[in-house]
Amino acid sequence: MRVLTGALMMVCAALLYGVCSPTARADEWNQKTTVKVNAPVDIAGRVLEPGTYVFKLMDSQSDRNIVQIWTAHERHLVDTILAIPTYRDEPTGKTVFRLDERPSESPEALTAWFYPGENYGHEFPGETNWAEGKIHGSEAGAMKGGK
């Protein structure tokens, strides 16, 4: 009888762990990141005006590079972008956005997004040469991101 009770408790604990765990890992699976944009930013040809946005991966088993951009409360889908996988040698413990400077009359361009602790990120398609063809990478600028 004690063996049956012990086995039943282990099964219940495993079920409880299975029910609660996906919620705790949801942000890691979809890489949900809330971002405050302080100035207009060009992302794959679409300009995001200042405000708060949510970046996350679309729930797809087959393609982990479909990035969705939502309004702050995730009530309106702003854009869906098929990103290109990109790699960095050293992951960091924080979200990193790669921004490229553009001529003064154009907004900075968001070219890549890396989730904390990940080597692989998401590169956004777009023009790489504007005006004089001089672009300088930056990890600061018009955006602040967090988990």
Side-chain angles (χ1 to χ4, degrees):
M1 185 71 170
R2 285 183 173 213
V3 172
L4 185 60
T5 304
L8 182 60
M9 288 181 67
M10 288 178 63
V11 168
C12 288
L15 286 173
L16 181 61
Y17 176 77
V19 169
C20 295
S21 293
T23 305
R25 292 186 298 231
D27 285 354
E28 288 182 20
W29 171 251
N30 64 16
Q31 298 184 356
K32 181 176 174 181
T33 304
T34 302
V35 178
K36 181 173 182 173
V37 177
N38 298 321
V41 175
D42 183 319
I43 177 168
R46 179 191 254 321
V47 176
L48 296 181
E49 295 300 326
T52 302
Y53 298 91
V54 175
F55 282 59
K56 65 182 185 178
L57 299 181
M58 190 169 91
D59 189 14
S60 171
Q61 296 287 333
S62 63
D63 193 335
R64 301 297 298 149
N65 287 293
I66 302 172
V67 178
Q68 295 181 316
I69 303 171
W70 295 82
T71 55
H73 300 292
E74 298 181 55
R75 292 190 181 121
H76 176 71
L77 179 62
V78 176
D79 205 353
T80 301
I81 301 166
L82 181 57
I84 302 162
T86 190
Y87 183 81
R88 63 180 172 173
D89 291 328
E90 295 292 325
T92 64
K94 61 181 180 177
T95 301
V96 173
F97 291 98
R98 190 180 316 140
L99 297 168
D100 283 344
E101 294 178 16
R102 298 290 169 89
S104 63
E105 66 276 357
S106 302
E108 286 183 296
L110 174 60
T111 59
W113 164 44
F114 292 91
Y115 192 73
E118 297 286 329
N119 288 86
Y120 286 92
H122 313 282
E123 185 175 326
F124 301 110
E127 291 185 40
T128 55
N129 291 319
W130 276 56
E132 301 170 48
K134 295 182 180 178
I135 297 174
H136 306 284
S138 167
E139 289 185 1
M143 302 182 74
K144 291 184 180 177
K147 267 181 144 176

Coordinates of all heavy atoms in Angstrom, one line a residue, residues 62-134:
S62 N 8.2 24.8 -37.0 CA 9.1 24.6 -38.2 C 10.0 25.8 -38.5 O 11.0 25.6 -39.1 CB 8.2 24.3 -39.4 OG 7.4 25.4 -39.7
D63 N 9.7 27.0 -38.1 CA 10.5 28.2 -38.4 C 10.6 29.1 -37.2 O 9.6 29.7 -36.8 CB 9.9 28.9 -39.6 CG 10.9 30.0 -40.1 OD1 11.8 30.4 -39.4 OD2 10.8 30.3 -41.3
R64 N 11.8 29.1 -36.6 CA 12.0 29.9 -35.4 C 12.5 31.3 -35.7 O 13.1 32.0 -34.8 CB 12.9 29.2 -34.4 CG 12.5 27.8 -34.0 CD 11.2 27.8 -33.2 NE 11.4 28.6 -32.0 CZ 10.5 29.3 -31.3 NH1 9.3 29.3 -31.8 NH2 10.7 29.9 -30.2
N65 N 12.3 31.8 -36.9 CA 12.8 33.1 -37.3 C 11.6 34.0 -37.8 O 11.9 35.0 -38.5 CB 13.9 33.0 -38.3 CG 15.1 32.5 -37.7 OD1 15.7 33.2 -36.9 ND2 15.5 31.3 -38.0
I66 N 10.4 33.7 -37.4 CA 9.3 34.6 -37.8 C 9.0 35.5 -36.5 O 8.6 35.0 -35.5 CB 8.0 33.8 -38.1 CG1 8.4 32.9 -39.3 CG2 6.9 34.7 -38.5 CD1 7.2 31.9 -39.6
V67 N 9.4 36.8 -36.7 CA 9.3 37.7 -35.6 C 8.0 38.5 -35.7 O 7.7 39.1 -36.8 CB 10.5 38.7 -35.6 CG1 10.4 39.7 -34.4 CG2 11.8 37.8 -35.4
Q68 N 7.2 38.6 -34.7 CA 6.0 39.4 -34.6 C 6.3 40.6 -33.7 O 6.9 40.5 -32.7 CB 4.8 38.6 -34.1 CG 4.4 37.5 -35.0 CD 3.3 36.7 -34.4 OE1 3.2 36.4 -33.2 NE2 2.3 36.4 -35.3
I69 N 5.8 41.8 -34.2 CA 5.9 43.0 -33.4 C 4.5 43.4 -33.1 O 3.6 43.6 -33.9 CB 6.6 44.1 -34.2 CG1 8.0 43.7 -34.6 CG2 6.7 45.4 -33.4 CD1 8.7 44.6 -35.6
W70 N 4.2 43.5 -31.8 CA 2.9 43.9 -31.3 C 2.9 45.2 -30.5 O 4.0 45.7 -30.1 CB 2.5 42.8 -30.2 CG 2.2 41.4 -30.8 CD1 3.2 40.5 -31.0 CD2 1.0 40.9 -31.2 NE1 2.6 39.4 -31.6 CE2 1.3 39.6 -31.7 CE3 -0.3 41.3 -31.2 CZ2 0.3 38.7 -32.1 CZ3 -1.3 40.5 -31.7 CH2 -1.0 39.2 -32.1
T71 N 1.8 45.8 -30.4 CA 1.7 47.0 -29.5 C 1.9 46.6 -28.1 O 1.9 45.4 -27.8 CB 0.3 47.7 -29.7 OG1 -0.7 46.7 -29.4 CG2 0.1 48.3 -31.1
A72 N 2.0 47.5 -27.2 CA 2.4 47.3 -25.8 C 1.6 46.2 -25.1 O 2.2 45.4 -24.4 CB 2.3 48.6 -25.0
H73 N 0.3 46.2 -25.3 CA -0.5 45.2 -24.6 C -0.9 44.0 -25.4 O -1.8 43.3 -25.1 CB -1.8 45.9 -24.1 CG -1.5 47.0 -23.1 ND1 -0.9 46.8 -21.9 CD2 -1.6 48.4 -23.2 CE1 -0.7 48.0 -21.2 NE2 -1.1 48.9 -22.1
E74 N -0.2 43.9 -26.6 CA -0.4 42.8 -27.5 C -1.8 42.7 -28.0 O -2.3 41.6 -28.3 CB 0.1 41.5 -26.9 CG 1.5 41.4 -26.5 CD 2.0 40.1 -25.9 OE1 1.7 39.1 -26.6 OE2 2.5 40.2 -24.8
R75 N -2.4 43.8 -28.2 CA -3.8 43.8 -28.8 C -3.8 44.0 -30.3 O -4.8 43.7 -30.9 CB -4.6 44.9 -28.1 CG -4.9 44.7 -26.6 CD -5.9 45.6 -26.1 NE -6.0 45.3 -24.7 CZ -5.8 46.2 -23.7 NH1 -5.4 47.4 -23.9 NH2 -6.0 45.8 -22.4
H76 N -2.7 44.6 -30.8 CA -2.7 44.8 -32.3 C -1.3 44.4 -32.8 O -0.3 44.8 -32.3 CB -2.8 46.3 -32.5 CG -2.7 46.7 -34.0 ND1 -3.6 46.4 -34.9 CD2 -1.7 47.4 -34.6 CE1 -3.2 46.8 -36.1 NE2 -2.1 47.4 -35.9
L77 N -1.3 43.5 -33.8 CA -0.1 43.1 -34.5 C 0.3 44.2 -35.4 O -0.4 44.5 -36.4 CB -0.4 41.8 -35.2 CG 0.8 41.2 -36.0 CD1 1.9 40.8 -35.0 CD2 0.3 39.9 -36.7
V78 N 1.5 44.7 -35.2 CA 2.1 45.8 -36.0 C 2.7 45.2 -37.3 O 2.4 45.7 -38.4 CB 3.1 46.6 -35.2 CG1 3.8 47.6 -36.1 CG2 2.5 47.2 -34.0
D79 N 3.5 44.1 -37.2 CA 4.1 43.5 -38.4 C 4.6 42.1 -38.0 O 4.8 41.8 -36.9 CB 5.3 44.4 -38.8 CG 5.7 44.3 -40.2 OD1 5.1 43.4 -40.9 OD2 6.5 45.0 -40.7
T80 N 4.7 41.3 -39.1 CA 5.3 40.0 -39.0 C 6.5 40.0 -40.0 O 6.3 40.3 -41.2 CB 4.3 38.9 -39.3 OG1 3.2 39.0 -38.4 CG2 4.9 37.5 -39.2
I81 N 7.7 39.6 -39.5 CA 8.9 39.7 -40.3 C 9.5 38.3 -40.4 O 9.8 37.7 -39.3 CB 9.8 40.7 -39.8 CG1 9.2 42.1 -39.7 CG2 11.1 40.8 -40.6 CD1 9.9 43.1 -38.9
L82 N 9.9 37.9 -41.6 CA 10.7 36.7 -41.7 C 12.1 37.1 -41.6 O 12.7 37.7 -42.5 CB 10.4 36.0 -43.0 CG 11.2 34.7 -43.3 CD1 10.9 33.7 -42.1 CD2 10.8 34.1 -44.6
A83 N 12.7 36.8 -40.4 CA 14.1 37.2 -40.2 C 15.1 36.1 -40.7 O 14.7 35.0 -41.0 CB 14.3 37.4 -38.7
I84 N 16.3 36.5 -40.7 CA 17.4 35.7 -41.1 C 18.2 35.3 -39.9 O 18.6 36.2 -39.1 CB 18.3 36.4 -42.1 CG1 17.5 36.9 -43.3 CG2 19.5 35.5 -42.6 CD1 18.2 38.0 -44.2
P85 N 18.5 34.0 -39.7 CA 19.3 33.7 -38.5 C 20.7 34.3 -38.5 O 21.3 34.4 -39.6 CB 19.5 32.1 -38.6 CG 18.5 31.7 -39.6 CD 18.2 32.8 -40.5
T86 N 21.1 34.8 -37.4 CA 22.4 35.4 -37.3 C 23.1 34.9 -36.0 O 22.4 34.4 -35.1 CB 22.4 37.0 -37.4 OG1 23.7 37.5 -37.5 CG2 21.7 37.6 -36.1
Y87 N 24.4 35.1 -35.9 CA 25.2 34.5 -34.8 C 26.1 35.6 -34.3 O 26.7 36.4 -35.0 CB 26.0 33.3 -35.4 CG 26.8 32.6 -34.3 CD1 26.2 31.7 -33.5 CD2 28.1 32.9 -34.1 CE1 26.9 31.0 -32.5 CE2 28.9 32.2 -33.1 CZ 28.2 31.3 -32.4 OH 29.0 30.6 -31.4
R88 N 26.3 35.5 -32.9 CA 27.3 36.3 -32.3 C 28.2 35.4 -31.4 O 27.7 34.4 -30.9 CB 26.7 37.4 -31.4 CG 25.8 36.9 -30.3 CD 25.2 38.0 -29.5 NE 24.2 37.5 -28.6 CZ 23.6 38.2 -27.6 NH1 23.9 39.5 -27.6 NH2 22.8 37.6 -26.8
D89 N 29.4 35.7 -31.3 CA 30.4 34.9 -30.5 C 30.1 34.8 -29.0 O 30.2 33.8 -28.4 CB 31.8 35.3 -30.8 CG 32.3 35.0 -32.2 OD1 31.8 34.1 -32.8 OD2 33.1 35.8 -32.7
E90 N 29.8 36.0 -28.5 CA 29.6 36.1 -27.0 C 28.2 36.5 -26.7 O 27.8 37.6 -26.9 CB 30.6 37.1 -26.4 CG 32.0 36.7 -26.6 CD 32.4 35.5 -25.7 OE1 31.8 35.4 -24.6 OE2 33.2 34.7 -26.2
P91 N 27.4 35.6 -26.1 CA 26.0 36.0 -25.7 C 26.1 36.9 -24.4 O 27.1 36.9 -23.7 CB 25.3 34.7 -25.3 CG 26.4 33.8 -25.0 CD 27.6 34.2 -25.8
T92 N 25.1 37.7 -24.2 CA 25.1 38.6 -23.0 C 23.9 38.2 -22.2 O 23.0 37.5 -22.6 CB 25.0 40.1 -23.4 OG1 23.8 40.3 -24.1 CG2 26.2 40.5 -24.3
G93 N 23.8 38.8 -21.0 CA 22.7 38.5 -20.1 C 21.5 39.5 -20.3 O 20.6 39.5 -19.5
K94 N 21.6 40.3 -21.4 CA 20.5 41.2 -21.7 C 20.2 41.2 -23.2 O 20.9 40.7 -24.0 CB 21.0 42.6 -21.2 CG 22.2 43.1 -22.0 CD 22.6 44.5 -21.5 CE 23.8 45.0 -22.3 NZ 24.2 46.3 -22.0
T95 N 19.0 41.8 -23.5 CA 18.6 41.9 -24.8 C 19.5 42.8 -25.6 O 19.9 43.9 -25.0 CB 17.2 42.4 -24.9 OG1 16.3 41.5 -24.2 CG2 16.7 42.6 -26.3
V96 N 19.9 42.5 -26.8 CA 20.7 43.4 -27.6 C 20.0 43.6 -28.9 O 19.6 42.7 -29.6 CB 22.1 42.7 -27.9 CG1 22.9 43.6 -28.8 CG2 22.9 42.6 -26.5
F97 N 19.9 44.9 -29.3 CA 19.4 45.3 -30.6 C 20.6 45.9 -31.4 O 21.3 46.8 -30.8 CB 18.3 46.3 -30.5 CG 17.0 45.7 -29.9 CD1 16.7 45.9 -28.6 CD2 16.1 45.0 -30.7 CE1 15.6 45.3 -28.0 CE2 15.0 44.5 -30.2 CZ 14.7 44.6 -28.8
R98 N 20.8 45.5 -32.6 CA 21.8 46.1 -33.4 C 21.1 47.2 -34.3 O 20.2 46.9 -35.0 CB 22.5 45.1 -34.3 CG 23.7 45.6 -35.0 CD 24.4 44.6 -35.9 NE 24.5 43.3 -35.3 CZ 24.4 42.1 -35.9 NH1 24.0 42.1 -37.2 NH2 24.5 41.0 -35.3
L99 N 21.6 48.4 -34.2 CA 21.1 49.5 -34.9 C 22.1 50.0 -35.9 O 23.3 50.1 -35.6 CB 20.6 50.6 -34.0 CG 19.5 50.3 -33.0 CD1 19.4 51.4 -31.9 CD2 18.2 50.1 -33.7
D100 N 21.7 50.4 -37.1 CA 22.5 51.1 -38.0 C 22.1 52.5 -38.2 O 20.9 52.8 -38.3 CB 22.5 50.4 -39.4 CG 23.2 49.1 -39.4 OD1 24.1 48.8 -38.5 OD2 23.0 48.3 -40.4
E101 N 23.1 53.4 -38.2 CA 22.8 54.8 -38.4 C 22.5 55.1 -39.9 O 23.0 54.4 -40.8 CB 24.0 55.7 -38.0 CG 24.3 55.6 -36.5 CD 25.5 56.4 -36.2 OE1 25.9 57.3 -37.0 OE2 26.0 56.2 -35.1
R102 N 21.6 56.0 -40.1 CA 21.2 56.4 -41.4 C 21.4 57.9 -41.6 O 21.7 58.6 -40.6 CB 19.8 56.1 -41.7 CG 19.5 54.6 -41.6 CD 20.1 53.8 -42.8 NE 20.1 52.4 -42.7 CZ 19.1 51.6 -43.1 NH1 18.0 52.1 -43.6 NH2 19.2 50.3 -42.9
P103 N 21.3 58.5 -42.8 CA 21.4 59.9 -42.9 C 20.4 60.6 -41.9 O 19.4 60.0 -41.5 CB 20.9 60.1 -44.4 CG 21.2 58.9 -45.1 CD 21.0 57.8 -44.0
S104 N 20.7 61.9 -41.6 CA 19.9 62.6 -40.6 C 18.4 62.7 -40.9 O 17.6 62.7 -40.0 CB 20.5 64.0 -40.5 OG 20.4 64.7 -41.7
E105 N 18.0 62.6 -42.2 CA 16.6 62.7 -42.5 C 15.9 61.4 -42.4 O 14.7 61.3 -42.5 CB 16.4 63.3 -43.9 CG 16.8 62.5 -45.0 CD 18.3 62.6 -45.3 OE1 19.0 63.4 -44.7 OE2 18.8 61.9 -46.2
S106 N 16.6 60.3 -42.1 CA 16.1 58.9 -42.0 C 16.2 58.4 -40.6 O 17.2 58.7 -39.9 CB 16.8 58.0 -43.0 OG 16.7 58.5 -44.3
P107 N 15.3 57.5 -40.2 CA 15.4 57.0 -38.8 C 16.5 55.9 -38.8 O 16.9 55.3 -39.8 CB 14.0 56.3 -38.6 CG 13.5 56.1 -39.9 CD 14.0 57.2 -40.8
E108 N 17.1 55.6 -37.6 CA 18.0 54.5 -37.4 C 17.3 53.2 -37.9 O 16.1 53.1 -37.8 CB 18.4 54.4 -36.0 CG 19.4 55.4 -35.5 CD 19.9 55.2 -34.1 OE1 19.0 55.2 -33.2 OE2 21.0 55.0 -33.9
A109 N 18.1 52.2 -38.3 CA 17.5 51.0 -38.8 C 17.8 49.9 -37.8 O 19.0 49.7 -37.4 CB 18.0 50.6 -40.1
L110 N 16.8 49.1 -37.3 CA 17.0 48.0 -36.5 C 17.4 46.8 -37.4 O 16.6 46.4 -38.2 CB 15.8 47.7 -35.7 CG 15.8 46.4 -34.8 CD1 16.9 46.4 -33.8 CD2 14.4 46.2 -34.2
T111 N 18.6 46.3 -37.2 CA 19.1 45.3 -38.2 C 19.1 43.9 -37.5 O 19.1 42.9 -38.3 CB 20.5 45.6 -38.7 OG1 21.4 45.7 -37.6 CG2 20.4 46.9 -39.5
A112 N 19.2 43.8 -36.2 CA 19.2 42.5 -35.6 C 18.7 42.5 -34.1 O 18.8 43.6 -33.5 CB 20.6 41.9 -35.6
W113 N 18.3 41.4 -33.6 CA 17.8 41.3 -32.2 C 18.3 40.0 -31.7 O 18.2 38.9 -32.3 CB 16.2 41.3 -32.3 CG 15.5 40.8 -31.0 CD1 15.8 41.1 -29.7 CD2 14.4 40.0 -31.0 NE1 14.9 40.5 -28.9 CE2 14.0 39.8 -29.6 CE3 13.6 39.3 -31.9 CZ2 13.0 39.0 -29.2 CZ3 12.5 38.6 -31.5 CH2 12.2 38.4 -30.2
F114 N 18.9 40.1 -30.5 CA 19.5 38.9 -29.8 C 18.8 38.8 -28.4 O 18.8 39.8 -27.6 CB 21.0 39.0 -29.6 CG 21.7 38.9 -30.8 CD1 22.1 40.0 -31.6 CD2 22.1 37.7 -31.3 CE1 22.8 40.0 -32.7 CE2 22.9 37.6 -32.5 CZ 23.2 38.7 -33.2
Y115 N 18.2 37.7 -28.1 CA 17.6 37.4 -26.8 C 18.7 37.1 -25.8 O 19.8 36.6 -26.1 CB 16.7 36.2 -26.9 CG 15.7 36.0 -25.8 CD1 14.7 36.9 -25.5 CD2 16.0 35.0 -24.9 CE1 13.8 36.7 -24.5 CE2 15.1 34.8 -23.8 CZ 14.1 35.7 -23.6 OH 13.2 35.5 -22.5
P116 N 18.5 37.5 -24.5 CA 19.5 37.3 -23.5 C 20.0 35.8 -23.4 O 19.2 34.9 -23.5 CB 18.8 37.6 -22.2 CG 17.8 38.6 -22.6 CD 17.3 38.1 -23.9
G117 N 21.3 35.6 -23.4 CA 21.9 34.3 -23.2 C 22.0 33.5 -24.5 O 22.5 32.4 -24.5
E118 N 21.5 34.0 -25.6 CA 21.5 33.3 -26.9 C 22.6 33.7 -27.8 O 22.9 34.9 -27.9 CB 20.2 33.5 -27.6 CG 18.9 33.0 -26.9 CD 18.8 31.5 -26.9 OE1 19.3 30.9 -27.9 OE2 18.3 30.9 -25.9
N119 N 23.3 32.8 -28.4 CA 24.3 33.1 -29.5 C 23.6 33.4 -30.8 O 24.0 34.3 -31.5 CB 25.2 31.9 -29.7 CG 26.1 31.7 -28.6 OD1 25.8 31.0 -27.6 ND2 27.3 32.3 -28.7
Y120 N 22.5 32.8 -31.1 CA 21.7 33.0 -32.3 C 20.7 34.1 -32.1 O 20.0 34.1 -31.1 CB 21.1 31.7 -32.8 CG 22.1 30.8 -33.4 CD1 22.7 29.8 -32.6 CD2 22.5 30.9 -34.7 CE1 23.7 28.9 -33.1 CE2 23.5 30.0 -35.3 CZ 24.0 29.1 -34.5 OH 25.0 28.2 -35.0
G121 N 20.6 34.9 -33.1 CA 19.6 36.0 -33.1 C 18.9 36.1 -34.4 O 18.9 35.1 -35.2
H122 N 18.2 37.2 -34.6 CA 17.3 37.4 -35.8 C 17.7 38.7 -36.5 O 17.7 39.8 -35.9 CB 15.9 37.5 -35.3 CG 15.5 36.4 -34.3 ND1 15.3 35.1 -34.7 CD2 15.5 36.4 -33.0 CE1 15.0 34.4 -33.7 NE2 15.2 35.1 -32.6
E123 N 18.2 38.5 -37.7 CA 18.6 39.6 -38.5 C 17.4 40.0 -39.4 O 16.8 39.2 -40.0 CB 19.8 39.3 -39.4 CG 20.3 40.4 -40.2 CD 21.6 40.1 -41.0 OE1 22.4 39.3 -40.5 OE2 21.8 40.6 -42.1
F124 N 17.2 41.3 -39.4 CA 16.0 41.8 -40.2 C 16.5 42.3 -41.6 O 17.4 43.0 -41.7 CB 15.3 43.0 -39.5 CG 14.8 42.5 -38.1 CD1 15.4 43.0 -37.0 CD2 13.8 41.6 -38.0 CE1 15.0 42.6 -35.7 CE2 13.4 41.2 -36.7 CZ 14.0 41.7 -35.6
P125 N 15.8 41.8 -42.6 CA 16.1 42.2 -44.0 C 15.9 43.7 -44.2 O 15.0 44.3 -43.6 CB 15.2 41.4 -44.9 CG 14.0 41.0 -44.0 CD 14.6 41.0 -42.6
G126 N 16.6 44.3 -45.1 CA 16.5 45.7 -45.4 C 17.6 46.1 -46.2 O 18.6 45.4 -46.4
E127 N 17.6 47.4 -46.7 CA 18.7 47.9 -47.4 C 19.9 48.1 -46.5 O 19.8 48.5 -45.4 CB 18.3 49.3 -48.0 CG 17.3 49.2 -49.1 CD 17.0 50.6 -49.7 OE1 18.0 51.3 -49.9 OE2 15.9 50.8 -50.0
T128 N 21.1 47.8 -47.0 CA 22.3 48.0 -46.2 C 23.1 49.2 -46.7 O 24.0 49.6 -46.0 CB 23.2 46.7 -46.3 OG1 23.4 46.5 -47.7 CG2 22.5 45.5 -45.7
N129 N 22.7 49.8 -47.8 CA 23.5 51.0 -48.2 C 22.5 52.1 -48.5 O 21.6 52.0 -49.3 CB 24.2 50.7 -49.5 CG 25.4 49.8 -49.3 OD1 26.1 49.9 -48.3 ND2 25.6 48.8 -50.2
W130 N 22.7 53.2 -47.8 CA 21.8 54.4 -48.0 C 22.7 55.5 -48.4 O 23.9 55.6 -48.0 CB 21.1 54.8 -46.7 CG 19.9 54.0 -46.4 CD1 19.7 52.7 -46.3 CD2 18.6 54.6 -46.1 NE1 18.4 52.4 -46.0 CE2 17.7 53.6 -45.9 CE3 18.2 55.9 -46.1 CZ2 16.4 53.8 -45.6 CZ3 16.8 56.1 -45.8 CH2 16.0 55.1 -45.6
A131 N 22.2 56.4 -49.2 CA 22.9 57.6 -49.5 C 24.4 57.4 -49.9 O 24.7 56.8 -50.9 CB 22.8 58.7 -48.4
E132 N 25.3 57.7 -49.0 CA 26.7 57.6 -49.2 C 27.3 56.2 -49.0 O 28.4 55.9 -49.2 CB 27.5 58.6 -48.3 CG 27.1 60.0 -48.6 CD 27.7 60.9 -47.5 OE1 28.9 60.8 -47.2 OE2 26.9 61.7 -46.9
G133 N 26.4 55.3 -48.5 CA 26.8 53.9 -48.2 C 27.6 53.7 -46.9 O 28.3 52.7 -46.8
K134 N 27.6 54.7 -46.0 CA 28.3 54.6 -44.8 C 27.3 54.2 -43.7 O 26.4 55.0 -43.4 CB 29.0 55.9 -44.5 CG 30.1 56.2 -45.5 CD 30.8 57.4 -45.1 CE 31.9 57.8 -46.1 NZ 32.6 59.0 -45.8

